[in-house]
Amino acid sequence: MRTRFDIPRYADLAIRGILRSEEIITSSRPLHNVNEAMADAEARQGIRSMIHF
């Protein structure tokens, strides 16, 4: 995985409307639930969580 390269690229594509993030996310969580999202990712359950700031 190339996180430092891929995440900014995905964000740019989403901002430009090329990547439709709402179609690929597995869950949507507020920032205060970020630890739960990370635990899910570690357990390979819902690895594409959208965190809302």
Side-chain angles (χ1 to χ4, degrees):
M1 178 182 257
R2 306 171 313 164
T3 305
R4 288 182 183 231
F5 175 78
D6 291 338
I7 298 301
R9 181 171 175 249
Y10 295 150
D12 179 58
L13 292 171
I15 289 167
R16 295 186 328 182
I18 297 169
L19 175 67
R20 296 170 47 126
S21 58
E22 64 275 356
E23 293 178 1
I24 64 169
I25 63 172
T26 54
S27 67
S28 180
R29 299 171 187 252
L31 181 59
H32 68 269
N33 289 345
V34 70
N35 291 334
E36 293 172 12
M38 295 301 290
D40 284 349
E42 198 170 295
R44 300 279 188 209
Q45 298 174 352
I47 62 172
R48 293 182 308 267
S49 295
M50 179 71 72
I51 306 299
H52 297 278
F53 291 87

